[in-house]
Amino acid sequence: MPKLHTRKAKMPSMRVNGAFRPDTVNLEERTIEVCFTTGQGGKRYDWYNDNEYIEELDVTPQSVRTERLDKGLSVIDNHCTYNGVDGVFGITEDYRFEDGELIGTVRFATDDDSDKKFKKAAD
């Protein structure tokens, strides 16, 4: 049996701020307006090429594939795509570009996990 090697690396502390707009909460429709992105650069790691880089998004209508937003995108918790459908708690509805930010409306699902997230955001 081949010997397994463990690569250890000290990763920097990373965090992302989500900006909810409390005055836009609609309890009946289960929606709230959020800032999807400001385009601010963030440190990322390329596991295939073993190097760090800064990912910075250009937040303009010319740079964003809006046809995907027009159809509505699944909203997942913290980019955790490995949770599959269980990680989805809502869908995007309206969106707009405003002062270098992508602002949009999220409609939350009605399952228990999604409801918990919606109540926290609404509170």
Side-chain angles (χ1 to χ4, degrees):
M1 178 178 257
K3 183 177 179 183
L4 297 177
H5 297 279
T6 302
R7 180 171 65 175
K8 295 183 180 181
K10 183 173 174 80
M11 297 298 288
S13 176
M14 296 170 56
R15 67 180 249 239
V16 176
N17 295 325
F20 295 100
R21 297 177 175 213
D23 56 326
T24 66
V25 173
N26 183 324
L27 296 174
E28 290 178 10
E29 297 292 322
R30 300 182 55 77
T31 60
I32 187 168
E33 194 172 275
V34 300
C35 175
F36 292 129
T37 184
T38 63
Q40 181 178 357
K43 190 181 285 189
R44 302 290 184 259
Y45 189 79
D46 180 347
W47 292 100
Y48 294 105
N49 296 306
D50 194 28
N51 66 325
E52 292 181 340
Y53 64 96
I54 301 295
E55 178 184 64
E56 194 169 16
L57 303 176
D58 186 22
V59 186
T60 63
Q62 297 78 24
S63 300
V64 176
R65 289 185 275 177
T66 56
E67 65 275 2
R68 295 175 67 201
L69 283 166
D70 292 336
K71 290 190 273 185
L73 296 174
S74 296
V75 179
I76 57 176
D77 190 6
N78 202 22
H79 291 261
C80 294
T81 57
Y82 52 81
N83 286 336
V85 72
D86 290 335
V88 176
F89 65 86
I91 189 166
T92 61
E93 290 190 340
D94 297 327
Y95 68 91
R96 69 183 181 281
F97 295 89
E98 182 179 288
D99 299 323
E101 298 180 343
L102 179 57
I103 308 297
T105 301
V106 172
R107 180 172 37 86
F108 286 74
T110 57
D111 63 278
D112 290 341
D113 289 338
S114 301
D115 191 53
K116 183 177 177 181
K117 288 174 176 45
F118 176 66
K119 287 178 180 175
K120 280 186 177 184
D123 283 348

